[in-house]
């Protein structure tokens, strides 16, 4: 097919515009993939934190149930460092969710 000069010029402009839009689309897809990976990592961290919390609570219940003598140190004092660490992990997961996704 033979096109006139104005039509050829218009086709070239459209082709350039399409190339620009295609490049933007590729960048956006890459960014989206990166965000999805961050979300998956945060979800994994959250699952690990919840598992740690469950384990800590389970340990607390076992220690509390097994405590029969008053000579045994208080379970609260024994588990306080673990609870503090658990709170820090929860806060870290919360801030990661809040700032990485937002």
């Amino acid at each position: 097919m033979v096109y006139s000069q104005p039509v050829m010029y218009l086709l070239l402009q459209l082709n350039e515009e399409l190339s620009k839009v295609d490049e933007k689309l590729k960048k956006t897809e890459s960014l989206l993939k990166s965000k999805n990976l961050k979300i998956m990592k945060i979800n994994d961290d959250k699952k690990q934190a919840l598992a740690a919390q469950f384990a800590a609570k389970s340990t607390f219940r076992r220690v509390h149930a097994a405590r029969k003598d008053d000579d045994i140190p208080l379970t609260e004092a024994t588990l306080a460092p673990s609870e503090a660490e658990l709170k820090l992990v929860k806060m870290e997961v919360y801030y990661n969710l809040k700032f990485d996704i937002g």
Side-chain angles (χ1 to χ4, degrees), residues 5-94:
Q5 197 75 2
V7 172
M8 287 296 290
Y9 180 73
L10 182 61
L11 285 174
L12 286 174
Q13 282 183 327
L14 288 174
N15 193 22
E16 288 177 20
E17 196 64 33
L18 180 60
S19 296
K20 289 178 185 177
V21 170
D22 188 46
E23 188 174 323
K24 282 184 181 179
L25 176 63
K26 287 179 183 178
K27 287 180 183 178
T28 303
E29 286 174 341
S30 175
L31 181 62
L32 181 61
K33 184 177 180 180
S34 172
K35 288 289 185 181
N36 283 338
L37 290 174
K38 283 183 182 179
I39 290 170
M40 288 171 56
K41 183 184 180 323
I42 289 169
N43 283 338
D44 287 345
D45 290 347
K46 182 179 177 184
K47 286 177 187 176
Q48 289 176 359
L50 289 173
Q53 179 183 11
F54 178 78
K57 285 182 178 180
S58 178
T59 301
F60 179 78
R61 283 191 211 103
R62 281 195 304 271
V63 168
H64 188 69
R67 189 175 130 198
K68 295 181 180 165
D69 293 337
D70 287 339
D71 296 338
I72 297 176
L74 293 175
T75 55
E76 291 82 6
T78 305
L79 295 178
S82 297
E83 289 177 343
E85 185 177 350
L86 183 60
K87 284 181 184 180
L88 289 174
V89 170
K90 280 183 174 182
M91 288 174 49
E92 183 178 331
V93 168
Y94 169 76

